[in-house]
C-alpha cells in the first residue's frame, strides 16, 4: 500500500475520478447547461492526468533559476512537453466551452427550452 | 538569521489563526452580512499576515509579497461591498437580532447622476 | 432510471480498467530522449529560462499559431451565433456604485500592467501570452462591470487583434528570409541568461500572442454582454 | 500620475534595477498612460504636498492599528459561545467630495471588520455595523468615520 | 510521510467532494460555482505537481474566465432552475 | 530550524481546517450569495496556501500564481454579485 502512495499516483487517481464524475454527469443529465458543466469537470480531470503522468519523483519545475543551476538539467527537471500541451488544451477548452454556451443560448432563444430531448432536428 | 525565521513563522501562525477564525465565523454567523463581516475580512487580514510572514522569512521575495498584499487590500473590500449591495438590493433578510435598517427606511434609491 | 444504473455500471467498469494504470505502471526514473534534449539544450539554443515557453514558442511554434487560429475561429463563431437583430433594446441593468466605478478606474491600469509583466517575462517566470491575455481580458471585464451599458469603441479591439496577428506571422516569415526557419527566435540576438532581453524574439512573439488572445477574449465577452436580456 | 504608479508597480514586480528592465518598464508605462487611460482622471484630485505625504504615512499606520484591533475584537465575538452580536445598518455622513477619497474611505471601512459599507449615495453612506451602539447619524459618524476622515481630508480634500 | 503527499491527498478528497456536489446541485449556478472551485483546487494540485505554468493558466482561464462566461450566459437565461 | 518547521506545520493544519469549514458553508448554502461568500473565502485562503507551498519548495516563481489569484479572484465575486442584482 505504501509504495502506491506517491504524488504521481494521487494525481492520476484524482484525475480519473474527475473524468468518471464528469462522464456520468454528461451522460445522465438532460439539461444542456449541466452537460457543459460536466464537460468542464471532465476537462480538468484530463489535464490533471496528463500533468501527473509527466511528473517525476523528486524533480522540480522546468524553469532555470538560482536554485537549479545550469548543468545536468535533464537529471533535475520534470517533462516540459506535456505541460506545454496541457497549457494549450486549457485555452482551447475555454474556446470550446464558449462556443457550446453560445450555441446553447441560441437554441434556448429559439425554443425556450434547455432539455436536449426537445432538440430533434439535428438528431441522426 | 534564526531569529528572523522564528519571527516570520510566528507571524505566519498568527495569520493562519485569523484565517481559521474567519472560516469559523462564516459557519457560525446567522445571516449573510455578518458572514461577510466575520468571514471575508478576518481571512483577508490572515492572508496578509501569512504572506508577510513568508516575506520576512525570505527577504528576497519582499517585492512580490508587497505587491500581493497591496492587490489583496485593494481588491477585497470592493468585492465585499458589491456583494453586500447586491444582496441588499434583492432583499436578502437580515437576521432576527438586527436592531436597525436605515437603508430600508430611506426607500429605494433615487436616480443619481454618475460623474 | 434503468439507464442511469446501466451508465453507472459501465463507468465503474471503466474505472476498474483505468485503475490498472496505477497498479501496473512502472515508475519512470529518467526523461525520454526528446524532453532530455530540450532540458539540456534550451539554455544555450533558445536562451529562455522557462522550458515550457521555449517548447511553446520555438520548438512547437506552428502548434501555437494553429492554437491562436482556433481561438480566433471560436470567437468568430460566438459572434456569429449571437448576432441578433434587435440587440440592446431594453437592457436596463442596475448601475454600479461609485465605489466600483472608481476602483475600476484605479485598478484598470494596474491589471493591464500586470498582464504586460506576465507576458513580457514569459521566458523567465511562469506565465506567457495566454495567461497575460486572460488577465487583460479580465481588466476589460472589470470595465464592463462598472459600465454595463458603456459604448465600446469596437475598432480598437479589432485593429489590435489584426495588428498583432499580422505581426506574428511577419516575424515568422522574417525567420524564413534570414534562413533560420519559420518562427525561429534567433532573428534577434540572444543575451545573457536570466535577463529580460535574453531570449531573442520570444518576448516579442509572446507579447503579440498576449495582445491577440486578450483582444479575442475581450471580443467574446463584449458579444456576450450585448445580447438582449431575458425578462 | 498613472505613469508614476505603473512604473513603481513594475519596479516592485521585478525587484531589480537593471537597465533593460528600467527601459521596458518606462515604455510599457507610457503606453498604458497614453493609450488605455485617456479618461482615467481619477487621480487628478490628489494633492501633492509634503503635508499630504506625511498624512498618508500616518494614515497607513492608523489604519493598520485599527485593522488589528478590530480583528481581535471580532475574533473574540466569533469565539465566544453566545455569539454577542448586535447588528444593524446605520447611516453616516462624510465630508469628502472627491470620488477617490470616498472610495478609500469606504474601502477602509469595509476592510475593518465590524463595519461594512452596503451602499453609498451622494454624501451618505449606509454601513452594516456588527455592534450598533447608537442609531443617530451624528454619533455613528463620530465613531466610525472620523478617525479615517481627518487624514483623508488632507490628502484628497 | 512527506508533507506534499498529505496536502495532495487532502486536495484530492476536496476536489472529488466538490465535483460530486456539482453533480448533485439543485440549481445550475451552484454547479457552475462548484466547477470553478474544482478548477481552483486543481491549480494548487498543478503547483504540487511541479507545473507552475499550467497552474497559472488554470487560475486565469479555468477558474476565472470560464465561470465568468457561464454567468454571462446564465444571465440571459433567467429561469427558476438555473 | 526544527521549531520553525513545527510552527509552520501547525499553521498549515489551521489553514486546512479553515478550508474544510468554508467548504461546509459552500455545500450547505442556503442561498447563492452565501455560497459566493464561501467561494471568496476559499480563494483568499488558497492564496495563503500557495504562498506556503512556494516557501516549502523554496522557489519564488510559484508566488506568481498567487499573484494572479490575488488580482483576479475578486472579479469572479463581482460578476456573481452583479448577476444576482440583475446588473449585468
Amino acid at each position: 500500500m505504501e509504495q502506491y502512495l506517491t504524488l504521481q499516483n494521487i494525481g492520476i487517481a484524482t484525475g480519473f475520478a474527475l473524468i468518471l464524475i464528469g462522464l456520468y454527469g454528461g451522460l445522465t443529465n438532460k439539461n444542456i447547461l449541466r452537460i457543459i458543466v460536466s464537460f468542464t469537470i471532465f476537462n480538468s480531470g484530463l489535464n490533471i492526468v496528463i500533468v501527473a503522468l509527466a511528473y517525476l519523483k523528486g524533480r522540480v519545475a522546468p524553469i532555470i533559476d538560482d536554485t537549479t543551476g545550469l548543468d545536468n538539467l535533464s537529471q533535475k527537471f520534470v517533462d516540459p512537453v506535456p505541460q506545454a500541451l496541457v497549457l494549450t488544451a486549457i485555452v482551447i477548452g475555454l474556446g470550446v466551452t464558449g462556443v457550446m454556451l453560445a450555441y446553447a443560448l441560441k437554441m434556448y432563444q429559439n425554443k425556450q427550452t434547455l432539455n436536449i430531448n426537445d432538440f430533434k432536428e439535428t438528431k441522426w | 538569521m534564526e531569529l528572523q525565521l522564528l519571527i516570520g513563522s510566528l507571524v505566519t501562525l498568527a495569520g493562519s489563526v485569523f484565517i481559521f477564525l474567519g472560516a469559523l465565523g462564516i459557519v457560525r454567523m446567522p445571516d449573510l452580512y455578518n458572514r461577510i463581516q466575520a468571514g471575508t475580512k478576518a481571512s483577508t487580514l490572515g492572508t496578509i499576515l501569512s504572506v508577510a510572514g513568508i516575506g520576512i522569512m525570505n527577504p528576497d521575495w519582499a517585492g512580490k509579497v508587497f505587491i500581493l498584499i497591496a492587490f489583496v487590500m485593494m481588491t477585497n473590500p470592493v468585492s465585499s461591498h458589491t456583494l453586500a449591495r447586491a444582496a441588499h438590493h434583492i432583499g436578502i433578510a437580515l437576521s432576527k437580532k438586527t436592531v436597525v435598517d436605515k437603508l430600508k427606511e430611506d426607500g429605494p434609491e433615487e436616480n443619481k447622476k454618475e460623474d | 432510471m434503468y439507464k442511469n444504473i446501466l451508465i453507472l455500471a459501465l463507468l465503474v467498469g471503466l474505472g476498474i480498467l483505468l485503475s490498472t494504470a496505477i497498479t501496473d505502471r512502472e515508475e519512470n526514473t529518467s526523461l525520454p530522449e526528446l524532453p532530455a534534449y530540450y532540458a539540456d539544450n534550451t539554455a544555450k539554443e533558445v536562451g529562455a529560462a522557462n522550458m515550457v515557453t521555449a517548447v511553446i514558442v520555438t520548438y512547437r511554434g506552428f502548434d501555437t499559431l494553429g492554437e491562436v487560429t482556433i481561438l480566433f475561429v471560436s470567437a468568430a463563431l460566438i459572434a456569429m451565433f449571437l448576432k441578433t437583430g434587435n440587440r440592446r433594446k431594453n437592457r436596463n441593468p442596475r448601475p454600479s456604485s461609485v465605489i466600483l466605478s472608481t476602483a475600476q478606474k484605479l485598478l484598470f491600469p494596474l491589471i493591464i500592467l500586470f498582464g504586460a509583466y506576465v507576458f513580457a517575462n514569459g521566458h523567465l517566470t511562469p506565465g506567457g501570452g495566454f495567461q497575460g491575455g486572460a488577465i487583460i481580458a479580465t481588466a476589460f471585464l472589470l470595465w464592463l462591470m462598472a459600465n454595463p451599458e458603456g459604448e465600446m469603441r469596437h475598432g480598437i479591439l479589432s485593429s489590435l487583434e489584426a495588428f498583432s496577428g499580422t505581426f506574428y506571422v511577419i516575424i515568422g516569415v522574417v525567420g524564413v528570409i534570414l534562413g533560420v526557419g519559420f518562427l525561429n527566435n534567433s532573428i534577434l540576438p540572444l543575451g545573457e541568461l536570466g535577463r529580460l532581453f535574453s531570449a531573442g524574439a520570444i518576448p516579442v512573439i509572446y507579447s503579440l500572442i498576449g495582445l491577440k488572445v486578450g483582444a479575442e477574449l475581450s471580443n467574446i465577452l463584449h458579444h456576450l454582454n450585448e445580447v438582449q436580456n431575458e425578462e | 500620475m498613472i505613469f508614476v504608479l505603473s512604473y513603481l508597480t513594475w519596479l516592485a514586480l521585478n525587484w531589480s534595477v537593471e537597465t533593460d528592465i528600467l527601459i521596458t518598464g518606462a515604455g510599457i508605462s507610457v503606453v498604458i498612460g497614453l493609450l488605455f487611460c485617456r479618461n482615467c482622471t481619477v487621480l487628478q484630485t490628489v494633492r501633492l504636498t509634503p503635508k499630504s505625504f506625511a498624512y498618508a504615512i500616518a494614515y497607513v499606520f492608523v489604519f493598520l492599528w485599527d485593522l488589528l484591533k478590530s480583528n481581535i475584537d471580532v475574533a473574540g465575538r466569533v469565539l465566544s459561545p453566545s455569539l454577542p452580536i448586535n447588528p444593524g445598518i446605520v447611516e453616516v455622513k462624510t465630508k469628502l467630495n472627491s470620488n477617490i477619497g470616498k472610495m478609500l474611505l469606504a474601502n477602509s471601512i469595509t476592510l475593518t471588520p465590524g463595519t461594512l459599507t452596503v451602499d453609498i449615495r451622494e454624501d451618505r453612506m449606509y454601513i452594516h455595523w456588527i455592534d450598533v451602539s447608537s442609531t443617530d447619524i451624528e454619533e455613528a459618524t463620530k465613531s466610525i468615520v472620523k478617525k479615517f476622515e481627518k487624514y483623508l481630508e488632507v490628502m484628497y480634500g | 510521510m512527506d508533507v506534499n503527499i498529505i496536502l495532495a491527498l487532502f486536495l484530492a478528497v476536496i476536489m472529488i467532494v466538490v465535483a460530486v456536489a456539482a453533480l448533485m446541485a439543485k440549481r445550475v449556478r451552484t454547479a457552475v460555482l462548484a466547477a470553478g472551485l474544482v478548477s481552483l483546487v486543481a491549480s494548487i494540485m498543478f503547483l504540487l505537481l511541479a507545473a507552475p505554468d499550467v497552474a497559472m493558466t488554470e487560475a486565469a482561464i479555468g477558474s476565472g474566465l470560464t465561470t465568468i462566461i457561464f454567468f454571462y450566459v446564465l444571465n440571459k437565461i433567467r429561469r427558476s432552475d438555473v | 530550524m526544527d521549531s520553525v518547521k513545527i510552527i509552520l506545520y501547525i499553521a498549515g493544519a489551521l489553514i486546512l481546517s479553515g478550508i474544510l469549514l468554508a467548504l461546509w458553508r459552500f455545500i450547505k448554502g442556503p442561498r447563492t450569495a452565501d455560497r459566493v461568500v464561501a467561494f471568496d473565502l476559499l480563494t483568499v485562503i488558497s492564496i495563503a496556501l500557495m504562498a506556503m507551498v512556494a516557501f516549502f519548495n523554496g522557489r519564488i516563481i510559484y508566488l506568481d500564481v498567487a499573484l494572479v489569484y490575488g488580482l483576479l479572484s475578486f472579479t469572479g465575486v463581482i460578476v456573481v454579485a452583479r448577476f444576482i442584482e440583475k446588473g449585468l
Side-chain angles (χ1 to χ4, degrees):
Chain A
M1 195 58 215
E2 191 69 17
Q3 82 266 21
Y4 289 132
L5 209 59
T6 62
L7 211 52
Q8 188 174 26
N9 281 340
I10 293 172
I12 294 174
T14 317
F16 280 157
L18 286 183
I19 286 177
L20 293 179
I21 290 171
L23 268 181
Y24 178 75
L27 289 176
T28 53
N29 274 317
K30 295 277 187 290
N31 189 330
I32 192 164
L33 289 173
R34 283 174 187 269
I35 294 176
I36 303 175
V37 173
S38 304
F39 169 78
T40 55
I41 293 175
F42 177 87
N43 208 352
S44 309
L46 206 55
N47 292 336
I48 292 177
V49 169
I50 298 176
V51 172
L53 281 175
Y55 181 76
L56 294 174
K57 193 171 160 52
R59 299 198 177 193
V60 297
I63 296 172
I64 303 170
D65 65 359
D66 307 338
T67 55
T68 61
L70 266 180
D71 22 78
N72 222 356
L73 289 177
S74 59
Q75 305 297 316
K76 288 178 188 159
F77 283 167
V78 300
D79 197 345
V81 180
Q83 294 192 12
L85 293 181
V86 169
L87 210 157
T88 31
I90 291 173
V91 180
I92 290 176
L94 173 72
V96 172
T97 312
V99 171
M100 290 199 305
L101 280 172
Y103 196 56
L105 180 56
K106 190 72 184 169
M107 295 211 287
Y108 176 74
Q109 282 178 342
N110 282 342
K111 299 203 127 178
Q112 300 295 316
T113 177
L114 285 174
N115 192 334
I116 51 167
N117 288 339
D118 293 343
F119 302 118
K120 293 210 170 79
E121 291 87 359
T122 53
K123 221 170 176 177
W124 42 275
Chain B
M1 199 60 207
E2 282 291 315
L3 189 67
Q4 192 183 359
L5 281 175
L6 198 64
I7 291 173
S9 59
L10 282 177
V11 172
T12 309
L13 182 67
S16 62
V17 167
F18 275 117
I19 286 179
F20 178 74
L21 287 178
L24 193 64
I26 209 176
V27 173
R28 286 198 67 195
M29 286 294 179
D31 71 340
L32 175 76
Y33 306 96
N34 289 314
R35 276 178 204 141
I36 297 177
Q37 296 266 18
T40 325
K41 266 22 105 20
S43 64
T44 305
L45 180 72
T47 302
I48 289 171
L49 282 181
S50 308
V51 178
I54 283 164
I56 291 171
M57 283 190 276
N58 281 24
D60 297 346
W61 299 7
K64 279 188 180 168
V65 164
F66 184 73
I67 289 287
L68 184 53
I69 290 175
F71 280 166
V72 171
M73 277 176 80
M74 253 190 285
T75 58
N76 233 312
V78 179
S79 63
S80 303
H81 156 72
T82 317
L83 188 60
R85 185 172 180 264
H88 199 277
H89 180 68
I90 62 167
I92 290 181
L94 288 93
S95 77
K96 289 196 182 72
K97 288 185 179 178
T98 305
V99 186
V100 60
D101 187 357
K102 273 274 169 65
L103 183 56
K104 210 172 213 166
E105 291 168 14
D106 281 6
E109 84 195 290
E110 58 268 31
N111 278 331
K112 61 181 178 198
K113 284 272 184 194
E114 293 272 335
D115 48 343
Chain C
M1 201 58 219
Y2 286 122
K3 213 168 136 192
N4 286 5
I5 293 171
L6 185 68
I7 289 171
L8 198 61
L10 266 176
L11 288 181
V12 168
L14 186 60
I16 292 170
L17 209 65
L18 289 178
S19 68
T20 55
I22 294 175
T23 50
D24 292 355
R25 198 174 43 81
E26 293 170 12
E27 192 90 15
N28 269 350
T29 48
S30 65
L31 289 179
E33 212 171 313
L34 185 68
Y37 174 81
Y38 287 162
D40 278 334
N41 295 312
T42 301
K44 59 176 179 289
E45 270 185 6
V46 183
N50 186 346
M51 267 153 219
V52 181
T53 302
V55 172
I56 285 183
V57 178
T58 307
Y59 293 124
R60 301 279 175 96
F62 258 129
D63 294 5
T64 309
L65 188 59
E67 186 199 354
V68 172
T69 316
I70 288 177
L71 209 56
F72 173 72
V73 169
S74 72
L77 270 178
I78 289 173
M80 193 187 82
F81 280 139
L82 298 182
K83 229 175 191 53
T84 47
N86 52 351
R87 55 174 49 181
R88 59 169 60 246
K89 208 171 68 186
N90 52 3
R91 294 179 68 239
N92 34 9
R94 187 174 187 233
S96 61
S97 68
V98 179
I99 297 174
L100 182 55
S101 53
T102 314
Q104 176 260 327
K105 282 177 188 157
L106 187 65
L107 283 171
F108 188 78
L110 288 184
I111 297 183
I112 297 260
L113 181 88
F114 184 61
Y117 166 78
V118 165
F119 59 66
N121 276 309
H123 56 293
L124 298 177
T125 56
F130 299 106
Q131 294 93 326
I135 291 169
I136 286 181
T138 312
F140 180 77
L141 171 93
L142 192 60
W143 186 84
L144 275 183
M145 287 293 108
N147 320 292
E149 287 201 294
E151 199 52 56
M152 248 291 301
R153 278 161 304 183
H154 215 273
I156 289 185
L157 281 183
S158 308
S159 54
L160 192 64
E161 190 182 341
F163 162 82
S164 47
T166 316
F167 265 81
Y168 182 31
V169 178
I170 284 178
I171 284 180
V173 174
V174 165
V176 175
I177 292 173
L178 292 180
V180 289
F182 190 69
L183 279 179
N184 198 306
N185 70 318
S186 48
I187 56 175
L188 291 179
L190 301 183
E192 181 195 346
L193 188 74
R195 302 287 294 271
L196 192 56
F197 290 148
S198 68
I202 283 186
V204 182
I205 294 176
Y206 237 2
S207 304
L208 291 176
I209 292 176
L211 286 178
K212 192 165 166 56
V213 171
E216 273 159 3
L217 295 178
S218 310
N219 249 333
I220 292 178
L221 289 173
H222 185 235
H223 281 298
L224 281 171
N225 188 45
E226 279 208 331
V227 179
Q228 190 180 346
N229 274 0
E230 182 92 359
E231 285 304 328
Chain D
M1 196 63 204
I2 290 284
F3 171 78
V4 174
L5 191 64
S6 310
Y7 201 55
L8 284 178
T9 314
W10 173 266
L11 289 183
L13 272 173
N14 280 295
W15 205 240
S16 70
V17 279
E18 287 163 17
T19 38
D20 44 1
I21 287 173
L22 291 179
I23 293 168
T24 321
I28 292 176
S29 304
V30 165
V31 167
I32 288 173
L34 289 183
L35 197 66
F36 291 104
C37 284
R38 219 170 292 154
N39 50 359
C40 301
T41 50
V42 64
L43 286 171
Q44 300 301 323
T45 49
V46 180
R47 288 184 200 158
L48 289 173
T49 55
K51 195 182 170 199
S52 77
F53 273 115
Y55 268 72
I57 293 167
Y59 172 69
V60 169
F61 280 105
V62 166
F63 172 65
L64 284 179
W65 174 241
D66 209 68
L67 185 63
L68 205 61
K69 212 170 58 183
S70 60
N71 252 305
I72 292 169
D73 178 50
V74 171
R77 282 172 202 278
V78 170
L79 274 182
S80 68
S82 61
L83 213 62
I85 57 171
N86 189 20
I89 295 181
V90 297
E91 185 183 354
V92 299
K93 273 194 183 322
T94 171
K95 283 185 289 187
L96 300 173
N97 287 319
S98 68
N99 273 345
I100 184 155
K102 276 183 203 163
M103 186 202 84
L104 276 180
L105 179 61
N107 274 3
S108 312
I109 290 172
T110 308
L111 210 50
T112 326
T115 48
L116 164 70
T117 318
V118 176
D119 207 344
I120 176 167
R121 293 177 191 170
E122 304 295 324
D123 62 340
R124 287 166 304 156
M125 293 166 131
Y126 296 89
I127 290 174
H128 183 269
W129 199 0
I130 206 168
D131 183 23
V132 176
S133 56
S134 91
T135 59
D136 186 49
I137 292 181
E138 297 297 324
E139 299 248 338
T141 308
K142 205 166 149 192
S143 56
I144 296 177
V145 177
K146 275 288 181 287
K147 57 194 171 194
F148 301 129
E149 199 177 40
K150 76 179 174 203
Y151 296 97
L152 286 170
E153 202 173 6
V154 177
M155 282 152 65
Y156 303 107
Chain E
M1 281 264 269
D2 194 6
V3 60
N4 276 349
I5 289 181
I6 299 173
L7 187 53
L9 272 177
F10 185 82
L11 293 180
V13 171
I14 282 186
M15 268 162 87
I16 292 170
V17 167
V18 176
V20 172
L23 282 196
M24 313 271 269
K26 283 198 188 68
R27 314 180 81 179
V28 176
R29 55 180 83 168
T30 313
V32 173
L33 276 178
L37 213 50
V38 170
S39 277
L40 173 80
V41 184
S43 104
I44 306 177
M45 195 88 167
F46 285 138
L47 212 54
L48 287 179
L49 289 172
D53 284 273
V54 185
M56 208 169 186
T57 320
E58 185 82 33
I61 291 179
S63 173
L65 277 175
T66 310
T67 315
I68 287 165
I69 289 180
F70 259 112
F71 271 98
Y72 260 102
V73 173
L74 291 188
N75 185 40
K76 315 296 178 198
I77 308 174
R78 289 220 179 248
R79 295 199 325 189
S80 58
D81 67 327
V82 296
Chain F
M1 195 61 203
D2 271 346
S3 61
V4 170
K5 267 202 168 159
I6 289 169
I7 290 173
L8 283 181
Y9 284 159
I10 295 172
L14 278 173
I15 289 178
L16 293 188
S17 44
I19 288 182
L20 281 183
L21 287 173
L23 197 64
W24 192 68
R25 173 54 72 193
F26 182 84
I27 290 172
K28 188 155 174 287
R31 299 190 67 145
T32 309
D34 299 294
R35 295 203 169 90
V36 178
V37 174
F39 186 83
D40 191 20
L41 182 59
L42 280 170
T43 48
V44 170
I45 291 176
S46 57
I47 292 172
L49 194 58
M50 280 178 184
M52 289 193 72
V53 170
F55 179 75
F56 274 117
N57 286 297
R59 302 196 72 175
I60 185 171
I61 50 175
Y62 287 5
L63 267 188
D64 281 17
V65 187
L67 265 173
V68 171
Y69 265 115
L71 199 47
L72 297 191
S73 67
F74 84 115
T75 52
V77 179
I78 288 181
V79 166
V80 183
R82 300 284 286 162
F83 167 74
I84 61 177
E85 70 173 355
K86 297 200 171 80
L88 215 57

